[in-house]
Amino acid sequence: QVCAQLCRRPCYCPWVPPRCPRGSPLVLDGCGCCKICARRLGEPCDFLHVCDQSQGLVCDYSSASAGTGGTCNFEDDEEGCEVNGRVYRDGEVFQPSCKIQCHCLDGGFNCIPLCQEDVRLPTPDCPYPRRVEIPGKCCPEWICEAQDQHLLRDARAASPPLPHPCPEWGTQWSACSATCGLGFASRVSNQNRYCRLETQRRLCMARPCPALPAAFPA
């Protein structure tokens, strides 16, 4: 009965199909006549303006008054997530980009990074590490700029201290490397004239070592 009232034969459709927003595919309307943009989660719907069935959406009339349209929702009130115009089912794992992975859960989503956020400290063979984007690779990588070591030493000697204060950052001193006698402890800190992360060491002694027994009795 609804089809007879709303659907006209033959079909009269626009020459150019509509341009749909991202995540809304072109589908046939409820009459099976013209192509329209499928309605997404939470959008209004009715007999003609159908929901995106590829995302598991149906037109929900449970909260609508008589004679009005419904709202696109998951079948059987199933929870889901909408990210960048695309709907994901509850429990589904997806990647909005190659750098993060997300998990849809109870209408929300949690994401974790897939690229390591490690810190590379300056070393004698790599005094100025730099992270760059590599074509064809998702995660940035560390590279070492090839510069002459003598020029680096001269530049360091000639460089004045930083004009602005350096917010102090550093790890705790590690345990002494020797259980007795003289050893060393290390930490990572930026407290230097260039405000760069570096490994620092200092001498330490946990306790004196016990005296060795005499070779001959007194």
Side-chain angles (χ1 to χ4, degrees):
Q1 184 179 0
V2 175
C3 183
Q5 292 176 356
L6 298 179
C7 301
R8 297 179 180 179
R9 301 296 178 187
C11 296
Y12 293 98
C13 304
W15 286 99
V16 180
R19 296 185 62 181
C20 301
R22 186 175 181 181
S24 177
L26 274 174
V27 296
L28 287 176
D29 59 19
C31 295
C33 186
C34 301
K35 288 197 172 183
I36 61 172
C37 299
R39 298 296 172 93
R40 296 174 295 181
L41 180 65
E43 293 183 343
C45 57
D46 52 32
F47 176 78
L48 285 177
H49 303 90
V50 297
C51 302
D52 186 3
Q53 295 182 359
S54 66
Q55 297 293 325
L57 299 178
V58 295
C59 198
D60 183 10
Y61 295 93
S62 59
S63 59
S65 58
T68 62
T71 303
C72 288
N73 203 350
F74 286 104
E75 196 170 4
D76 299 328
D77 294 329
E78 185 181 349
E79 295 275 352
C81 317
E82 183 177 4
V83 181
N84 295 330
R86 182 174 176 182
V87 178
Y88 300 92
R89 291 181 177 272
D90 186 60
E92 186 175 355
V93 177
F94 59 96
Q95 288 185 222
S97 74
C98 62
K99 295 183 179 180
I100 58 173
Q101 178 175 288
C102 302
H103 181 206
C104 177
L105 186 64
D106 297 332
F109 56 93
N110 298 320
C111 300
I112 57 172
L114 298 177
C115 297
Q116 294 183 354
E117 299 296 332
D118 55 340
V119 176
R120 178 161 184 168
L121 301 178
T123 56
D125 60 332
C126 185
Y128 289 103
R130 189 163 56 92
R131 212 168 190 186
V132 297
E133 300 285 344
I134 306 296
K137 292 187 178 181
C138 178
C139 300
E141 296 184 2
W142 288 101
I143 64 168
C144 296
E145 294 182 345
Q147 300 186 38
D148 188 78
Q149 297 296 324
H150 298 288
L151 294 178
L152 284 175
R153 283 196 294 267
D154 295 341
R156 288 177 182 175
S159 298
L162 295 173
H164 52 81
C166 175
E168 182 175 354
W169 185 91
T171 62
Q172 297 292 330
W173 287 102
S174 67
C176 198
S177 61
T179 56
C180 72
L182 200 62
F184 66 88
S186 62
R187 72 170 182 175
V188 176
S189 175
N190 66 347
Q191 290 302 288
N192 52 65
R193 64 183 299 177
Y194 304 105
C195 195
R196 293 194 181 117
L197 289 175
E198 65 178 6
T199 302
Q200 299 174 346
R201 291 182 175 85
R202 70 178 181 183
L203 296 176
C204 59
M205 180 182 290
R207 61 183 178 85
C209 290
L212 295 176
F216 300 98

